[in-house]
């Protein structure tokens, strides 16, 4: 049987039994042209040379899964096909690889990669803002502890950055209270206000990034957004490493994205496996009783995967239909499993003495003699 083998220097049709090269198409001796061919291979495309050699062959094996539409993928040791035998040396290979690296790094970046980075940027901003907010509450609380009950998050930081002293804040809030806090020196108050001002800017950056993420994910993934909404769709894409990879995952993996630690703990210690990952944020799943969550999570992951595939391959919008089917399935799960499963009763222990026997054994006393006189 013939097997199709692609090397960096050419495409070869080989007899797998005799290791004889039956036909070949060599790469161009121009480094830029060869690099473009290799870039197409890395993207998963099939070269015209590969199609040409495979044409008309009904029984053909291939050495790469990328070529699976041409034949059945098989492992094959093609190390006997050496570049030096076909006029290619190491210096040319080095030049081709350098051109290939430059070519791939200059390619346009898919927008889902920007979305992944934006989500990670948002996570960093959330972490920093939480730390700084905690520091601001602890520091300014020595001067005006009551403010923590009167304003939250960005409002809290904005009042401090704007007024500093509690008198100005009390006037703006229209309150009449006596604070138990201590007075600050002007230099100390300026330091606290600088911290509050920095925190306000971070809160503004968070809002900008959230708006950017929402607009980007709604443009890229309308079907996923119809099911999950923008923020959760973006979170799933980030955890998967991109929309393309998310669309290639099995639904069981989509179901558990974000629960990797719990899964490793299950594999290591034998504890119960997780039923869901970040999709737990989906309202109908989060509000469901525990015995329904596994079924709902599986149904949700299946619809998410379909939506991701449609979004990745630019299919027609079907998000509303998928969402309606999901809600019908969830209603069916709730109808079929209204009550928690019954706990299994512990197994009954066998009679210690056994049926019809005394504790010395049937018809015998403890000396081993017959009980009958």
């Amino acid at each position: 049987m013939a097997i199709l083998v692609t090397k960096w220097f050419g495409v070869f049709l080989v007899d797998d039994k005799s290791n004889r090269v039956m036909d070949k198409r060599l790469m161009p001796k121009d480094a830029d042209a060869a690099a473009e061919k290799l870039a197409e291979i890395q993207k998963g495309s099939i070269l015209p040379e590969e199609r040409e050699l495979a044409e008309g062959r009904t029984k053909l094996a291939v050495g790469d899964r990328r070529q699976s539409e041409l034949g059945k993928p098989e492992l094959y040791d093609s190390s006997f096909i050496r570049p030096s035998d076909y006029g290619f040396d190491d210096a040319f290979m080095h030049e081709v690889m350098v051109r290939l690296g430059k070519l791939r790094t200059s390619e346009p970046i898919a927008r889902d990669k920007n979305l992944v980075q934006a989500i990670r940027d948002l996570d960093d901003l959330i972490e920093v803002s939480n730390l700084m907010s905690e520091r601001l509450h602890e520091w300014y609380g020595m001067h005006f502890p009551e403010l923590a009950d009167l304003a939250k998050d960005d409002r809290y930081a904005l009042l401090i950055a704007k007024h500093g002293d509690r008198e100005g804040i009390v006037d703006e809030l229209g309150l009449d209270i006596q604070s138990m806090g201590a007075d600050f020196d002007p230099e100390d108050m300026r330091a606290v206000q600088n911290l509050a001002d920095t925190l306000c800017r971070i809160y503004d950056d968070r809002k900008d990034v959230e708006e950017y993420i929402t607009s980007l994910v709604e443009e890229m993934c309308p079907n996923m957004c119809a099911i999950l909404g923008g923020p959760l769709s973006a979170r799933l894409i980030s955890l998967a490493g991109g929309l393309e990879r998310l669309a290639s995952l099995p639904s069981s993996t989509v179901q558990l994205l974000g629960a990797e630690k719990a899964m490793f703990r299950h594999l290591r210690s034998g504890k119960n496996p997780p039923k869901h990952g970040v999709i737990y944020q989906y309202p109908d799943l989060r509000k469901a009783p525990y015995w329904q969550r596994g079924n709902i999570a599986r149904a949700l992951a299946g619809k998410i995967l379909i939506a991701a595939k449609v979004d990745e391959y630019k299919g027609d919008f079907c998000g509303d239909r998928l969402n309606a089917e999901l809600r019908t399935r969830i209603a069916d799960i709730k109808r079929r499993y209204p009550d928690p499963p019954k706990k299994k009763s512990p197994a009954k222990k066998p009679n210690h003495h056994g049926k019809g026997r005394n504790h010395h054994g049937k018809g015998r006393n403890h000396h081993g003699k017959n009980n009958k006189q």
Side-chain angles (χ1 to χ4, degrees), residues 304-356:
I304 291 171
L305 184 58
I306 295 172
K309 289 180 182 294
V310 175
D311 289 331
E312 169 62 19
Y313 299 109
K314 310 303 179 186
D316 295 334
F317 178 76
C318 59
D320 292 340
R321 176 176 60 82
L322 293 175
N323 192 34
E325 292 174 354
L326 175 61
R327 294 192 175 279
T328 301
R329 174 60 180 151
I330 292 174
D332 181 59
I333 291 171
K334 291 181 177 180
R335 179 182 57 79
R336 293 177 62 187
Y337 306 103
D339 301 318
K342 296 181 179 179
K343 294 184 179 180
K344 295 182 180 180
S345 58
K348 294 182 179 180
K349 295 182 179 180
N351 191 337
H352 179 69
H353 302 296
K355 183 177 180 180

Side-chain angles (χ1 to χ4, degrees), residues 185-352:
D185 291 335
E187 292 182 0
D188 299 329
M189 185 59 70
R190 279 195 297 272
V192 178
Q193 285 184 277
N194 288 336
L195 172 61
D197 185 63
T198 302
L199 182 55
C200 286
R201 290 198 297 272
I202 292 177
Y203 279 128
D204 290 339
D205 291 342
R206 275 180 57 174
K207 292 178 181 177
D208 291 341
V209 173
E210 287 171 351
E211 291 174 359
Y212 166 73
I213 289 172
T214 300
S215 63
L216 185 57
V217 76
E218 287 178 351
E219 176 186 343
M220 287 175 42
C221 315
N223 292 284
M224 286 185 63
C225 289
I227 297 173
L228 298 174
L232 186 51
S233 298
R235 183 70 58 187
L236 269 175
I237 293 171
S238 175
L239 287 169
L243 179 59
E244 181 180 4
R245 184 169 183 274
L246 178 63
S248 67
L249 295 175
S251 62
S252 58
T253 302
V254 174
Q255 180 180 339
L256 297 179
L257 282 175
E260 290 79 9
K261 290 183 178 179
M263 177 56 72
F264 290 140
R265 186 165 58 247
H266 157 68
L267 296 174
R268 185 172 59 249
S269 62
K271 294 184 177 180
N272 292 335
K275 295 180 179 178
H276 38 65
V278 72
I279 62 172
Y280 181 70
Q281 297 177 19
Y282 184 72
D284 284 342
L285 177 57
R286 187 175 64 249
K287 296 175 183 178
Y290 72 90
W291 64 88
Q292 297 175 355
R293 290 175 187 164
N295 289 325
I296 293 176
R298 282 189 289 274
L300 176 60
K303 295 302 181 184
I304 291 171
L305 184 58
I306 295 172
K309 289 180 182 294
V310 175
D311 289 331
E312 169 62 19
Y313 299 109
K314 310 303 179 186
D316 295 334
F317 178 76
C318 59
D320 292 340
R321 176 176 60 82
L322 293 175
N323 192 34
E325 292 174 354
L326 175 61
R327 294 192 175 279
T328 301
R329 174 60 180 151
I330 292 174
D332 181 59
I333 291 171
K334 291 181 177 180
R335 179 182 57 79
R336 293 177 62 187
Y337 306 103
D339 301 318
K342 296 181 179 179
K343 294 184 179 180
K344 295 182 180 180
S345 58
K348 294 182 179 180
K349 295 182 179 180
N351 191 337
H352 179 69

